[in-house]
Amino acid sequence: MDEADLIGLVAMEDVRAFEALYRAYYPRLRRFLRGMLRQSTMVDEVLDDTMLVAWRKAHTFDATSRVSTWLFAIAYRQALKALRRVDWSLPDPIDEPAAPRDAEPDHELEHRQLRERLDAVLVQLSPEHRAVIDLTYFHGCSCKEIADIVGCPVATVKTRMFYARRHMKALLGDEGAQAL
């Protein structure tokens, strides 16, 4: 079934269609929100808020964009709302993905150290810059799709990407930037 058709069924309050939509987008939205929010305790709450908005507003989907763009735009706005009301005094650790069992210890250590360094740098970026980095590199979105998601012109997305990369390079230093 086409995703636009699925949204049409959700708009008609078809619970099975909504469950299918939720299952299909849960991993991608969770990854995106984890990158945006940087606090694992908030991710599931904001993801649920995102899907609740999708359920309530499915009738407004006009198929001028992809379903993924529409859902990521909702998730982006919900994440920004959550960030505005968060208490930054007690940051939560981010869940580390499990390393493959057949990974060599040295390679695994290097990968984990690089990931920790990247996480430390990403957390220093603004939510807007983190969003463009995450949507580009982890979700494969185009500049046009990102512009639709975050609600700004394509030129602004490109500018945010430029400054985010420049800031990351400055924070990582030459050795870290080359490792990327």
Side-chain angles (χ1 to χ4, degrees):
M1 173 180 291
D2 182 84
E3 288 185 337
D5 294 336
L6 191 62
I7 288 291
L9 291 173
V10 171
M12 294 187 299
E13 299 183 1
D14 184 324
V15 174
R16 286 188 194 147
F18 180 72
E19 288 172 354
L21 183 72
Y22 193 97
R23 278 192 304 275
Y25 278 93
Y26 176 84
R28 292 174 60 196
L29 288 172
R30 190 170 201 297
R31 167 70 183 90
F32 172 68
L33 290 170
R34 211 175 107 200
M36 280 286 300
L37 298 170
R38 311 306 298 163
Q39 290 193 6
S40 60
T41 56
M42 295 174 62
V43 171
D44 287 327
E45 178 183 339
V46 174
L47 179 60
D48 288 344
D49 291 346
T50 298
M51 294 310 289
L52 182 61
V53 170
W55 171 258
R56 290 180 178 164
K57 299 290 185 177
H59 67 279
T60 66
F61 179 73
D62 61 6
T64 58
S65 65
R66 295 186 323 176
V67 171
S68 62
T69 302
W70 183 71
L71 285 172
F72 275 97
I74 295 170
Y76 176 76
R77 288 189 300 275
Q78 292 299 316
L80 289 180
K81 282 183 191 177
L83 287 172
R84 282 192 289 272
R85 67 177 186 258
V86 72
D87 177 13
W88 290 103
S89 60
L90 296 172
D92 291 337
I94 295 174
D95 304 329
E96 261 316 299
R101 291 187 178 189
D102 61 345
E104 296 179 21
D106 289 342
H107 185 327
E108 183 180 330
L109 177 63
E110 288 174 11
H111 179 69
R112 190 178 61 207
Q113 287 173 339
L114 179 59
R115 182 64 198 179
E116 288 171 0
R117 202 162 169 202
L118 281 174
D119 284 343
V121 168
L122 286 170
V123 79
Q124 295 180 53
L125 299 178
S126 69
E128 292 82 8
H129 288 166
R130 275 197 312 267
V132 296
I133 293 288
D134 194 72
L135 288 168
T136 299
Y137 293 108
F138 298 110
H139 296 283
C141 294
S142 69
C143 287
K144 170 74 172 105
E145 290 171 320
I146 295 170
D148 291 342
I149 289 168
V150 301
C152 68
V154 172
T156 302
V157 169
K158 291 178 180 180
T159 301
R160 287 179 184 174
M161 181 61 74
F162 171 80
Y163 284 110
R165 286 181 187 150
R166 190 163 99 178
H167 192 191
M168 287 180 71
K169 186 175 180 180
L171 292 170
L172 286 170
D174 291 336
E175 182 181 313
Q178 288 177 354
L180 295 176

